Amino acid sequence: MPATPQPVTPDPPEPIARPLLTQSWLDLTFVHWAADPADVAPLLPPGARPDTLDGVTYVGLVAFRMHRVGWLRLPGVPYLGNFPETNVRLYSVDDHGRRGVVFLSLDASRLIPVLVGRLGFGMPYVWSRMRVRHVDDRTVTYTASRRWPGPRGAGTRLTVRRGEAVAEPTELEHFLTARWGMHGVFFGRPMYLPNAHPRWPLYRAELLECAEDLVAAAGLPAPGGAPVSVLYSPGVPARFGRPARPAGIPTP
């Protein structure tokens, strides 16, 4: 029988003392729409099923700046490790109760990281023209247009205005942001990759502009209507641990 899903907590369930990968996520905007679990389930890797809140799951469009990606305890790479990224993600849970996310696509502006992610780890990275621009001290615009492998020209244009700080996230805001792992297929095997970072500093945000076709390009129905949640964060440093197999055994 599948285990009861772990509780949603604002802090990681375990620290990662020996990281496999380090990076910082800066100037993040989270845009979420409700999704039907029946639409989501076929897109998840083996061993994962849709994670739901009151019977509903979600698709997220998350735009940000990746900063100083580094391996092990080495310093982050200053040029190749800095780039805009926009991902389409789903919410998942496995038979061990581990909650996580599943990335359907990850648009990035640096070709070498895209090639490493696609060829080395089987991640759905896409090379795109991208920009993150601060219009003023509260307003940010994110743009992306796909180059390779496509569909060429698909992309996003998001503009958000940061509002008040979130003193206590709602149940939904916790559910969408407090994610301490990633379900995926690495080296041909289903894996769970844990991560850890400080608590999110969150702000509610107003979506001023949203033109996107990345959700539909990922194989889901295009979002209809306004998103159910729009949040902004200045960012956090993050650590990824060693991947675990579906049985929960860390890889060597």
Side-chain angles (χ1 to χ4, degrees):
M1 292 291 294
T4 301
Q6 295 174 343
V8 177
T9 60
D11 299 301
E14 296 181 5
I16 296 176
R18 299 173 59 190
L20 176 68
L21 188 67
T22 62
Q23 54 196 239
S24 291
W25 306 320
L26 306 179
D27 291 325
L28 290 96
T29 287
F30 303 86
V31 182
H32 285 92
W33 294 269
D36 188 333
D39 292 330
V40 166
L43 302 177
L44 300 183
R49 63 186 187 275
D51 195 6
T52 61
L53 181 64
D54 297 328
V56 179
T57 193
Y58 295 87
V59 55
L61 186 67
V62 184
F64 62 102
R65 290 191 298 115
M66 187 76 82
H67 181 66
R68 299 294 291 242
V69 177
W71 293 99
L72 305 174
R73 295 178 180 271
L74 298 174
V77 180
Y79 174 74
L80 293 177
N82 297 340
F83 49 86
E85 182 173 317
T86 297
N87 61 60
V88 176
R89 72 186 200 181
L90 303 176
Y91 294 84
S92 52
V93 63
D94 61 25
D95 289 342
H96 297 275
R98 297 173 298 197
R99 288 184 145 114
V101 299
V102 171
F103 293 107
L104 297 185
S105 63
L106 303 102
D107 286 65
S109 64
R110 294 270 190 264
L111 178 58
I112 290 178
V114 166
L115 293 175
V116 170
R118 289 186 69 89
L119 302 178
F121 298 95
M123 297 285 289
Y125 269 97
V126 180
W127 185 34
S128 298
R129 294 181 179 87
M130 306 185 75
R131 186 181 182 189
V132 178
R133 182 172 65 91
H134 285 263
V135 179
D136 54 43
D137 61 353
R138 296 178 56 210
T139 308
V140 188
T141 293
Y142 309 83
T143 57
S145 179
R146 286 188 172 173
R147 289 170 153 172
W148 176 86
R152 192 172 181 87
T156 58
R157 183 176 177 86
L158 301 176
T159 300
V160 297
R161 179 183 293 128
R162 173 173 51 84
E164 75 279 4
V166 177
E168 180 58 40
T170 65
E171 184 180 15
L172 176 60
E173 289 166 345
H174 271 308
F175 181 87
L176 297 175
T177 60
R179 291 282 148 172
W180 307 113
M182 173 177 65
H183 291 104
V185 177
F186 303 94
F187 307 108
R189 294 184 177 183
M191 297 282 183
Y192 178 78
L193 189 68
N195 72 74
H197 57 73
R199 291 192 182 194
W200 285 109
L202 292 173
Y203 295 78
R204 297 197 173 94
E206 180 185 2
L207 187 60
L208 303 179
E209 180 181 19
C210 180
E212 71 82 27
D213 49 13
L214 297 186
V215 172
L220 286 167
V228 298
S229 175
V230 183
L231 295 169
Y232 173 83
S233 176
V236 292
R239 292 180 162 208
F240 287 86
R242 292 185 299 163
R245 299 190 181 99
I249 303 171
T251 57

